[in-house]
Structures are given as structure tokens and as C-alpha cells.
DNA sequence: CAGTGAGCGAGCTTCCGCTTGACTT
């Protein structure tokens, strides 16, 4: 008898489910999507929106395993994730099997479970359904739209701005956030304000009160805005106080604090960034290790549930185990009467999985620490603690606000707080971004109305309002998620796209836009605002939902998007560059009287003297790496036209000059070049240039291990060790061979066998891993 | 690998969202 074949997306999940299902079932993984649009023009028909799919190259081997197993199986259970993308994977698999004429009358069933527990899986297997074409069509619409946006906007950027750029439904709003934040910071005008604080003492305990009322008027942030006013107020207060304040009001309150929801991908990335300093991609890499399994004694076991999720839901079984654990470890009074329930906040959440939680809360971080790497321990620790805390009782906090009079009409206020019952706070406290709440509230002494307080002094402090903070990885992901832009599996990727396109740079863990990032954003905002709007994705999601519920037709949806979009693309494509992008004019060149402007050209930002319409051709010069289009001044721009500088000659009589080329600054000697790293081509001396040339000559001599007479074949020392080249093709040398004693025949043979060079993009860094 | 920048046309890239391993000059 054949078996029942079950398909899931992840191989780790396949292993787990295999255990639950027993010997009548064989579980295989699809490794994610199995087919995708052909990655070039023509993947989507612009009239019918018919889609041209092809197998994903690196998943072909898994697909053939599935096909092979299906031939022997009695029935197929499609258990891909219960969301739009998962439904599409199931559909693509049945399409592949149908094309091979394998389906015949074998039953194909779609099953779905949101948690990997014995009961959930049994339940799912016994309640199969058909693949939902409505859901599949919603996915196809999503896929086609993303393709059309990306593959129409990007080429427009190549033509109008610079080769190799990109735009998309997700990356472009993300870029916009970073650029607009920078513009806010640049437009920010700091404002001065003063605070006045009293240093108080009672029963030998010191505390601080803030001035909240002066001469009968409430004191607000900008009530006092200069030194003189502050000094006058202070002098008056000191006189009125005469060394003492008097308690006029004591207000006590109790505040509850709820634990944070269990982790989902975005909150995990944020907390790992805030608390552990991990980048989003590092967090995901480590989480993957924890998910796939670690040997903590008795074989490898998955320590956490799936890490790419947008659901805060916990399996019933898990909640039971966590509540037992809390009761045993912290006492019965630490669990709430009913389990804490959390609701997913995002609108476009698909909730295909559980929250990220330990697979068993009984694997306490400190008890398995020796089996984990440092990074694994740290990440597991916060996941474990956050999960446990999420099912504990609220914390209870006492707060007290004390008003103290200082003469008549003047009031200082002291705030204090104390934790009465820590509850969940004993285990885990969520971190905060850019906390400006300097209110590190402390305990106050016992105070009651009428008490006299010793006044030790009054302090004036000058402050300035601060501009909004630049985005961190954590705050960017948080913001993207709030707008429903991007998915758990792509947050880390969005960041690396922006960085590898050189739209933004990450410095001291903060994002700022580059010149090219600003130019691209400006172009998209001016000409395609609707499609880079923060709400574009959210509105699309609503329409996709309608398709998935069968209330709308996906082709109609596509047409309503494509008709206006394609018109707009065509219109803009016909406009000239300078109509689409405004150049920044710096002033007039004193020598020629021609205008000096700065703009983004094919190979980067350039300063230009004159315009293209002038009779005389304009002059060009590239910006230095640390200069920016936004800030460069006329004076700085004119200096750039000093290159190339003739420095003199080498001992052999070759002319030596300094300049900046495509690959950075260099000195030229005769027809050869040497890169310069620390020196500045505008100020480098002949003496220094000759030193660099000398070093370069030595380096060239060292590079060659062997060369052969009458052949172009050379054995060279490269970045990754010795290798053989014939000028166009390279071959690596196995460790067992000595590069200096290879014979020509051996080299030719190895070159023959070496894989042919793949067509690498010209000088571009690959975006894909 | 080293002097471009306009515009022409060759040949090149480019999207988002599912999943894990793979290999350079």
C-alpha cells in the first residue's frame, strides 16, 4: 500500500509533523514557493494579466522529490501555510502535477493548521477542504501588481536618474520614511526653554520638585525661554521660600501595567535590537537555528516555534504548560484567573502561525545554556522570558504626586512611584525606543498635608528642544509594520535592499539617506506619489481581501490599477530629465560667468559649470566621497575643477598626475595607475606619489607566482589564495598542490575543468544573497 | 579597472514573498 503524502513549506516543520502523523504518512517540504514569474519582461500579459510562471531553479530538486513521492502515494495533503501565499504554493503544486498528468483521480486535499500540536494536526487532517481559487487569485494579483510596479518604475529610474536603481511597492515607502525624517531634522529649529527645580529634603531623604505654578500661573514647557527670566523667577522663589516649602496636596493613585504580547517577528527584531544590539538579519539567522533544532541532551530539538509570524496567538497546550510552570516557579497568585489573550494589531496580518514562543517552557534558558552559543542563549532568553511574562498577572504600581507651596501662588510638584506588586515585571520588561521620558521616578519619603520641607536650593536648567530621531532598524521595522508594509519574511530584506542600492547608510545604528536616495525619493514623490504612499499597501490589502472572499474579480482589480499606472509611466517616460528632476543651482562661476549647478548623473553626483544648451560644452567634476549634493557650497564646488593635477615625473621620465576616476582617487604614471587611499589627490605631493608608485610596483611583482614563456597563463596570488588565469578564465588551485611548482600542462588542464565565468553584473554588488 | 556626464541604441538590470544552504579573484 502507498502512503499519504503531506506537503509543508519548511523542512523543520516536516520533521516535527512526521513524528505526529506516524507511518501512514510521508511528509515533504516545498522549501517555500515552487514557481514564480519569469524574472524578465513579459511575465504578465498586459491585457489578460495571464502570468508566465517558471519553476524556481534552486527548488527544482525538492519539486522532483515531491513528484516522485506522489507517484507512489495514495493521497496528497497540501498543508502549506494557511495564508494567501501558502494557498498559492498548494495551487502551484497541483498545477505542476496536473501538467505531468499525474493527478488522475488521486484525492488532493488542502489542510490547514495554525499551530504545530498533535491536536491541531489531527483536527486539520480530518477536516480537509479544496484549494481556494479566490485566495489563490488574490495572491496572483498581489504578485502581478508588485511585478508591474517594480518592472516599470525601475527602468524609468535607469533612464532618468541612474543605471541599476530600483523602486517597488515596499522599498519605496520605506525609503520615503528615511528621507522624510531627514528633511524634518534639517527643517527643525531648536527652541530654548528653562526648567526650575527645587532640591528638597525631608527626614534625611532627598528628592526633587519641579516648578508647576508661578505667581498663580501654570508653568508649561515654553513659559520660561531665556536666562534672565529664569534668574528673576529663581530669585523671587528663593525669597518667597525662605528655606522652606510646605506640602499642600498629596495625591495617591494605583496604576496597573499589563505585560506585552508574546513576540511576533517584528517585535522580536525590535527587542533584539534594543536589548541585545542585534541587527534584524542577525536575529533572524539565530532564530532560524533555534527553530531548526539544537541538541540539549537527547538529540536535536527545535527550541522555538516558527520565527516568521504576525500572530500573537499561543496554542492552548502551550498556555496550559506556561501556567503550570508559573504556578510552580512563582506561586499560584502569579497567574491570572483566565489566561491573558492578545489581539493582533496589524490590519493585514495573515496569522498563519503562532507567536514566537519556546516549544517547551520547561527548557529554562539558564538550564540549557551550555548547549547554546552566546547569541542563541541571549535570543532564546528574551523569547522565553517574554512568553512567560505574557501569561503572568499585571504589575501594580503606586504613584504619588505631591504639591508643595513656595510662598503664595508658587507650587513645586514632586512625583514618585513604587512597585507594589511586580507581577510579570519580575520576569520581563519591554524596551523602549528613543525614550525622552527622563521621568526616572523614584520613591518619595512619607509626606502628608501641612508637612514642612527643607529647601536645599533651586536650580535653573537650560534646555533645547530636540529634532526627531533618525530611524534605527528597530523603529523602521515598527513603522513599516504599523502601515502594513512588508511581511515578517521580508523586514530584514527591505533594509538590505535600501543599503545595497546605496539609498541609505547605517551609521551608529541610525539610517540617513544618501544623495541618490534623496533624488530617487523626490522623483517618485513628485511623479508617482500614489504608488509610494504609505497607505497604498493598506488599500491594496482591502481590495485583495475582497478578491479572496470572492466579492471581487482579480482581473478587474488588476485592470483598475494598471490602466492609470501605465498611462502615467508612459507620460513620464517621454519627459526630458530636467523637466522631471530639478537641479540645485549653487551660483555663478566667477571665471566664466556661467551658472554652477549640482545634479545626479550617470556615475554619481556631479557639479556642472554651464548648461547643456550652451554653445560651449559644460564642464563636469564628480563630488568627493564625503561631500553631499545637499550641502556642497559654490566654493567647495569650484575647487573640484582643479583636477587632474600634474605632479612631475618619475625617475624614468614618465609624467605623474593625480586624479579621481571611476574607482576612486589615483596617481597615474605613464599609462599605469595606482589607487591612493589615505592621501588627497588635491594636495598630494610628487614625493608622496612616487612612494605610492614604488609600492604598487613591488605589489605587482609579488602578485605573480609563475608565468610561462609564450603563454598568457599565469599563476597569481589573489584575495582568496593562489589561482591560475589565462586572462579571461580563472581556476582555483587545490590545497594539495604547490602553486609555485605547477607545470603549464597542469595549469591548462585545470583551466579547462574550471567552471566558466558567470556573467557578473558590471561592477555592481549583487543584491540577492 | 581609471577622464564618463546630453541622447542614441546595443545589452544590462529591476519587484515582493515563501523557504534554506552555497562559494567568490
Amino acid at each position: 500500500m502507498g502512503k499519504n503524502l503531506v506537503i509543508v513549506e519548511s523542512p523543520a516543520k516536516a520533521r516535527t509533523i512526521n513524528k505526529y502523523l506516524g507511518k501512514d504518512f510521508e511528509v515533504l517540504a516545498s522549501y517555500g514557493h515552487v514557481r514564480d514569474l519569469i524574472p524578465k519582461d513579459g511575465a504578465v500579459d498586459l491585457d489578460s494579466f495571464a502570468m508566465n510562471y517558471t519553476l524556481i531553479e534552486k527548488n527544482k530538486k525538492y519539486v522532483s522529490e515531491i513528484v516522485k513521492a506522489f507517484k507512489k502515494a495514495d493521497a496528497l495533503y497540501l498543508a502549506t501555510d494557511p495564508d494567501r501565499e501558502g494557498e498559492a504554493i498548494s495551487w502551484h503544486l497541483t498545477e505542476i502535477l496536473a501538467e505531468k498528468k499525474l493527478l488522475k483521480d488521486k484525492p488532493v486535499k488542502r489542510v490547514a493548521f495554525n499551530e504545530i500540536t498533535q491536536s491541531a494536526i489531527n483536527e486539520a487532517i480530518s477536516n480537509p477542504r479544496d484549494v481556494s481559487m479566490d485566495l489563490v487569485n488574490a495572491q496572483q494579483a498581489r504578485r502581478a501588481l508588485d511585478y508591474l510596479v517594480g518592472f516599470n518604475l525601475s527602468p524609468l529610474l535607469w533612464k532618468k536618474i541612474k543605471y541599476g536603481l530600483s523602486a517597488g511597492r515596499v522599498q519605496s515607502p520605506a525609503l520615503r520614511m528615511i528621507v522624510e525624517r531627514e528633511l524634518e531634522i534639517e527643517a527643525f529649529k531648536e527652541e530654548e526653554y528653562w526648567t526650575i527645580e527645587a532640591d528638597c529634603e525631608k527626614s534625611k531623604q532627598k528628592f526633587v520638585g519641579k516648578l508647576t505654578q508661578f505667581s498663580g500661573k501654570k508653568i508649561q514647557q515654553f513659559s520660561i525661554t531665556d536666562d534672565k527670566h529664569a534668574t528673576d523667577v529663581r530669585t523671587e522663589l528663593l525669597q518667597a521660600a525662605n528655606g522652606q516649602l510646605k506640602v499642600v496636596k498629596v495625591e495617591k493613585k494605583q496604576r496597573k501595567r499589563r505585560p506585552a504580547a508574546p513576540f511576533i517577528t517584528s517585535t522580536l527584531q525590535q527587542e533584539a535590537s534594543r536589548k541585545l544590539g542585534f541587527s534584524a538579519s542577525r536575529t533572524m539567522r539565530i532564530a532560524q537555528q533555534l527553530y531548526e533544532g539544537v541538541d540539549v541532551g537527547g538529540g536535536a530539538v527545535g527550541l522555538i516555534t516558527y520565527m516568521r509570524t504576525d500572530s500573537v496567538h499561543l496554542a492552548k497546550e502551550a498556555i496550559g504548560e506556561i501556567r503550570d510552570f508559573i504556578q510552580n516557579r512563582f506561586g499560584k497568585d502569579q497567574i491570572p484567573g483566565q489566561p491573558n489573550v492578545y489581539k493582533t494589531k496589524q490590519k493585514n496580518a495573515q496569522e498563519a502561525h503562532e507567536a514566537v514562543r519556546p516549544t517547551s517552557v520547561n527548557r529554562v534558558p539558564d538550564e540549557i545554556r551550555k548547549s547554546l552559543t552566546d547569541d542563541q542563549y541571549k535570543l532564546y532568553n528574551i523569547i522565553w522570558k517574554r512568553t512567560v511574562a505574557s501569561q503572568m498577572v499585571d504589575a501594580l504600581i503606586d504613584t504619588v504626586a505631591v504639591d508643595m507651596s513656595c510662598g503664595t501662588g508658587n507650587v513645586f510638584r514632586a512625583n514618585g512611584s513604587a512597585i507594589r506588586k511586580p507581577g510579570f515585571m519580575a520576569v520581563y520588561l519591554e524596551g523602549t525606543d528613543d525614550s525622552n521620558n527622563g521621568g526616572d521616578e523614584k520613591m518619595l519619603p512619607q509626606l502628608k498635608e501641612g508637612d514642612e520641607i527643607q529647601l536645599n536650593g533651586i536650580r535653573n536648567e537650560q534646555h533645547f528642544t530636540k529634532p526627531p530621531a533618525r530611524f534605527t532598524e528597530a523603529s523602521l521595522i515598527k513603522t513599516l509594520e504599523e502601515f502594513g508594509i512588508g511581511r515578517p519574511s521580508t523586514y530584514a530584506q527591505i533594509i538590505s535592499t535600501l543599503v545595497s542600492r546605496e539609498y541609505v547608510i547605517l551609521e551608529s545604528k541610525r539610517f540617513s539617506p544618501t544623495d541618490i536616495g534623496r533624488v530617487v525619493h523626490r522623483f517618485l514623490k513628485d511623479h508617482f506619489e500614489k504608488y509610494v504612499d504609505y497607505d497604498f499597501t493598506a488599500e491594496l490589502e482591502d481590495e485583495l481581501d475582497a478578491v479572496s472572499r470572492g466579492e471581487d474579480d482579480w482581473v478587474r482589480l488588476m485592470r483598475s490599477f494598471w490602466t492609470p499606472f501605465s498611462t502615467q509611466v508612459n507620460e513620464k517616460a517621454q519627459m526630458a530629465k530636467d523637466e522631471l528632476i530639478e537641479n540645485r543651482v549653487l551660483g555663478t562661476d566667477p571665471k566664466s560667468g556661467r551658472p554652477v549647478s549640482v545634479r545626479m548623473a550617470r556615475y554619481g553626483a556631479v557639479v556642472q559649470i554651464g548648461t547643456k544648451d550652451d554653445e560651449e560644452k559644460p564642464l563636469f567634476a564628480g563630488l568627493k566621497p564625503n561631500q553631499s549634493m545637499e550641502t556642497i557650497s559654490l566654493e567647495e564646488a569650484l575647487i573640484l575643477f582643479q583636477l587632474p593635477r600634474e605632479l612631475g615625473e618619475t625617475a624614468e621620465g614618465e609624467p605623474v598626475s593625480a586624479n579621481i576616476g571611476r574607482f576612486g582617487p589615483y596617481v597615474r604614471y605613464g599609462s599605469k595607475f595606482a589607487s591612493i587611499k589615505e592621501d588627497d589627490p588635491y594636495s598630494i605631493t610628487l614625493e608622496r606619489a612616487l612612494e605610492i608608485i614604488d609600492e604598487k610596483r613591488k605589489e605587482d611583482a609579488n602578485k605573480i607566482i609563475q608565468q610561462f614563456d609564450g603563454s598568457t597563463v599565469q599563476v597569481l596570488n589573489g584575495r582568496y589564495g593562489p589561482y591560475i588565469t589565462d586572462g579571461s578564465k580563472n581556476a582555483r588551485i587545490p590545497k594539495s598542490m604547490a602553486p609555485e611548482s605547477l607545470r603549464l600542462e597542469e595549469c591548462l588542464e585545470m583551466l579547462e575543468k574550471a567552471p566558466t565565468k558567470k556573467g557578473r553584473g558590471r561592477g555592481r554588488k549583487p543584491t540577492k544573497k
Side-chain angles (χ1 to χ4, degrees):
Chain A
M1 274 303 281
K3 283 184 174 183
N4 296 300
L5 179 60
V6 181
I7 308 297
V8 295
E9 293 181 35
S10 145
K13 197 167 168 180
R15 285 196 295 275
T16 313
I17 290 175
N18 218 352
K19 278 186 250 165
Y20 289 133
L21 285 175
K23 62 178 175 13
D24 293 338
F25 291 84
E26 179 179 12
V27 188
L28 291 180
S30 74
Y31 288 75
H33 277 295
V34 289
R35 293 204 306 188
D36 194 13
L37 292 176
I38 56 168
K40 50 187 171 195
D41 283 345
V44 175
D45 185 285
L46 301 179
D47 197 41
S48 67
F49 301 103
M51 301 171 66
N52 192 349
Y53 290 112
T54 178
L55 284 176
I56 294 170
E57 191 59 38
K58 61 185 190 359
N59 283 359
K60 274 185 177 170
K61 53 181 183 283
Y62 307 119
V63 172
S64 33
E65 274 175 47
I66 290 171
V67 170
K68 208 168 105 193
F70 181 73
K71 286 180 187 164
K72 289 188 277 182
D74 288 335
L76 176 64
Y77 289 86
L78 297 163
T80 50
D81 293 350
D83 57 17
R84 205 158 64 203
E85 301 295 327
E87 201 74 9
I89 293 172
S90 284
W91 175 72
H92 279 295
L93 282 169
T94 56
E95 286 287 291
I96 292 166
L97 296 171
E99 275 169 24
K100 293 186 184 293
K101 310 228 180 292
L102 292 173
L103 285 185
K104 294 178 190 133
D105 46 8
K106 273 189 202 176
V108 173
K109 303 168 196 196
R110 173 78 169 110
V111 295
F113 38 83
N114 300 69
E115 47 187 61
I116 309 182
T117 57
Q118 181 85 58
S119 59
I121 290 164
N122 290 347
E123 168 93 9
I125 293 283
S126 47
N127 291 296
R129 57 173 174 83
D130 291 330
V131 170
S132 157
M133 278 320 290
D134 289 333
L135 204 47
V136 171
N137 287 336
Q139 194 275 345
Q140 296 205 92
R142 196 280 304 157
R143 182 69 192 87
L145 186 141
D146 281 338
Y147 165 85
L148 290 173
V149 170
F151 275 58
N152 281 285
L153 289 184
S154 301
L156 201 55
L157 297 178
W158 307 340
K159 254 178 87 184
K160 303 299 179 189
I161 302 178
K162 197 176 173 218
Y163 174 78
L165 301 176
S166 66
R169 173 179 59 85
V170 168
Q171 61 171 276
S172 297
L175 170 62
R176 179 178 173 183
M177 285 170 189
I178 293 169
V179 175
E180 289 193 341
R181 176 62 56 89
E182 198 68 22
L183 297 178
E184 274 176 56
I185 292 169
E186 282 162 7
F188 185 82
K189 293 210 171 55
E190 62 176 23
E191 285 182 76
E192 182 180 354
Y193 65 96
W194 290 73
T195 55
I196 298 183
E197 294 186 341
D199 289 319
C200 308
E201 189 169 335
K202 171 78 179 175
S203 320
K204 299 211 166 146
Q205 209 176 326
K206 289 180 177 165
F207 61 99
V208 173
K210 284 181 186 157
L211 185 68
T212 55
Q213 202 187 324
F214 182 71
S215 294
K217 281 195 192 138
K218 209 172 161 193
I219 293 288
Q220 286 164 323
Q221 186 178 13
F222 297 109
S223 296
I224 304 170
T225 54
D226 62 81
D227 194 352
K228 183 175 180 304
H229 188 188
T231 309
D232 290 349
V233 170
R234 176 173 179 267
T235 312
E236 210 171 306
L237 286 168
L238 280 172
Q239 266 178 5
N242 199 17
Q244 265 189 357
L245 302 178
K246 195 170 178 186
V247 174
V248 290
K249 197 167 115 193
V250 177
E251 201 173 1
K252 288 183 177 171
K253 279 188 185 157
Q254 242 177 23
R255 218 174 59 214
K256 268 188 187 176
R257 189 163 163 177
R258 289 200 66 187
F263 279 133
I264 57 179
T265 307
S266 63
T267 51
L268 175 66
Q269 289 171 343
Q270 289 162 41
E271 281 285 84
S273 164
R274 293 190 282 237
K275 291 196 161 169
L276 310 176
F278 288 2
S279 68
S281 61
R282 181 172 170 194
T283 299
M284 293 311 279
R285 196 168 55 242
I286 300 158
Q288 179 88 30
Q289 295 163 5
L290 295 171
Y291 166 70
E292 283 182 359
V294 176
D295 191 348
V296 292
V301 53
L303 294 183
I304 60 169
T305 53
Y306 198 54
M307 60 278 152
R308 290 186 272 267
T309 177
D310 54 18
S311 169
V312 289
H313 171 78
L314 294 176
K316 219 170 132 196
E317 285 92 333
I319 291 179
E321 197 194 66
I322 295 164
R323 285 171 68 86
D324 287 346
F325 179 89
I326 295 168
Q327 182 167 348
N328 292 336
R329 170 80 52 124
F330 303 106
K332 192 163 182 169
D333 57 340
Q334 295 300 302
I335 46 173
Q338 289 298 314
N340 292 333
V341 177
Y342 298 90
K343 284 225 175 71
T344 302
K345 284 184 216 137
Q346 300 80 249
K347 223 175 148 269
N348 69 333
Q350 306 265 324
E351 311 214 43
H353 309 276
E354 278 190 73
V356 186
R357 63 162 172 91
T359 47
S360 169
V361 73
N362 292 314
R363 283 190 276 269
V364 179
D366 286 328
E367 290 167 15
I368 59 170
R369 182 168 192 164
K370 58 183 182 305
S371 309
L372 303 178
T373 65
D374 267 6
D375 279 0
Q376 286 171 346
Y377 167 76
K378 285 182 193 160
L379 195 67
Y380 182 68
N381 193 38
I382 63 169
I383 294 171
W384 186 90
K385 285 183 172 167
R386 173 107 164 196
T387 308
V388 171
S390 77
Q391 286 304 323
M392 291 177 70
V393 291
D394 294 349
L396 223 57
I397 295 159
D398 287 335
T399 63
V400 54
V402 179
D403 282 346
M404 299 168 289
S405 66
C406 172
T408 45
N410 309 321
V411 177
F412 285 96
R413 169 170 284 194
N415 286 301
S417 71
I419 296 168
R420 174 170 292 268
K421 289 183 180 167
F424 78 93
M425 285 170 72
V427 177
Y428 184 89
L429 208 54
E430 189 175 35
T432 50
D433 290 312
D434 309 319
S435 56
N436 277 334
N437 55 335
D440 45 327
E441 297 181 352
K442 286 186 193 128
M443 291 276 285
L444 294 183
Q446 287 294 331
L447 295 169
K448 61 177 189 305
E449 240 172 83
D451 278 355
E452 288 184 339
I453 309 288
Q454 182 186 324
L455 180 64
N456 290 342
I458 294 181
R459 280 178 292 113
N460 295 346
E461 265 184 63
Q462 187 185 29
H463 305 271
F464 293 95
T465 53
K466 293 205 171 60
R470 291 195 173 94
F471 281 108
T472 59
E473 283 202 359
S475 59
L476 183 69
I477 289 171
K478 186 175 178 184
T479 311
L480 285 170
E481 192 198 26
E482 280 166 4
F483 285 104
I485 298 169
R487 301 279 311 135
S489 62
T490 60
Y491 294 133
Q493 186 64 46
I494 296 165
I495 289 167
S496 62
T497 299
L498 295 180
V499 172
S500 69
R501 290 275 170 277
E502 294 175 347
Y503 287 167
V504 304
I505 50 167
L506 196 51
E507 221 172 9
S508 317
K509 303 203 164 189
R510 300 272 170 179
F511 287 110
S512 50
T514 61
D515 280 342
I516 189 70
R518 289 173 191 259
V519 171
V520 168
H521 160 68
R522 186 66 201 264
F523 176 84
L524 294 171
K525 172 140 171 82
D526 285 351
H527 304 291
F528 292 94
E529 175 151 33
K530 180 181 190 312
Y531 303 95
V532 296
D533 195 272
Y534 296 138
D535 291 328
F536 181 68
T537 291
E539 285 161 17
L540 172 67
E541 285 293 337
D542 285 343
E543 298 181 307
L544 293 174
D545 279 351
V547 173
S548 65
R549 286 193 304 264
E551 295 162 9
D552 194 3
D553 174 56
W554 77 278
V555 175
R556 191 214 62 80
L557 167 58
M558 285 309 297
R559 194 156 288 137
S560 74
F561 148 76
W562 175 245
T563 309
F565 177 72
S566 60
T567 312
Q568 205 165 333
V569 170
N570 290 334
E571 265 172 30
K572 304 293 177 182
Q574 278 158 26
M575 288 166 69
K577 278 188 184 185
D578 49 2
E579 279 182 275
L580 294 164
I581 298 153
E582 226 176 287
N583 298 344
R584 192 165 90 91
V585 178
L586 302 180
T588 309
D589 173 30
K591 268 192 239 159
S592 63
R594 305 168 83 191
V596 180
S597 59
V598 57
R599 67 187 176 86
M600 189 55 66
R602 202 165 173 74
Y603 303 107
V606 294
V607 185
Q608 178 179 333
I609 301 182
T611 69
K612 70 177 161 72
D613 303 320
D614 294 353
E615 205 168 310
E616 200 183 335
K617 272 194 161 186
L619 299 169
F620 296 101
L623 266 61
K624 290 199 234 177
N626 57 355
Q627 287 177 328
S628 139
M629 278 172 64
E630 293 298 315
T631 56
I632 193 169
S633 66
L634 180 62
E635 293 71 39
E636 290 165 334
L638 292 173
I639 292 172
L640 298 172
F641 289 89
Q642 292 172 357
L643 291 182
R645 289 173 59 230
E646 301 300 330
L647 299 176
E649 288 184 350
T650 61
E652 294 80 12
E654 295 167 312
V656 176
S657 60
N659 200 0
I660 298 175
R662 170 131 160 58
F663 305 100
Y666 63 92
V667 289
R668 178 173 181 161
Y669 51 113
S671 59
K672 289 186 152 180
F673 301 84
S675 290
I676 51 182
K677 284 170 192 108
E678 266 105 78
D679 298 271
D680 179 7
Y682 293 92
S683 60
I684 192 168
T685 60
L686 177 64
E687 195 189 2
R688 178 70 188 127
L690 291 175
E691 279 175 33
I692 289 166
I693 292 167
D694 203 42
E695 260 171 55
K696 169 77 172 172
R697 282 177 172 153
K698 276 187 199 149
E699 204 180 292
D700 285 346
N702 272 336
K703 222 176 106 180
I704 302 168
I705 301 177
Q706 271 208 90
Q707 42 193 342
F708 304 95
D709 289 336
S711 164
T712 55
V713 175
Q714 289 183 312
V715 183
L716 300 179
N717 229 335
R719 242 193 331 151
Y720 305 98
Y723 68 103
I724 305 167
T725 183
D726 64 0
S728 62
K729 203 177 162 188
N730 299 330
R732 38 188 341 183
I733 300 172
K735 287 225 173 73
S736 56
M737 291 179 155
E740 57 283 354
S741 54
L742 286 169
R743 285 174 299 117
L744 180 58
E745 300 83 75
E746 291 175 314
C747 291
L748 287 170
E749 194 185 324
M750 275 152 71
L751 278 170
E752 187 72 27
K753 275 194 257 170
T756 42
K757 238 204 272 191
K758 275 180 274 175
R760 292 177 299 113
R762 285 179 61 76
R764 275 203 63 81
K765 281 168 251 164
T767 344
K768 286 170 199 154
K769 296 167 283 175

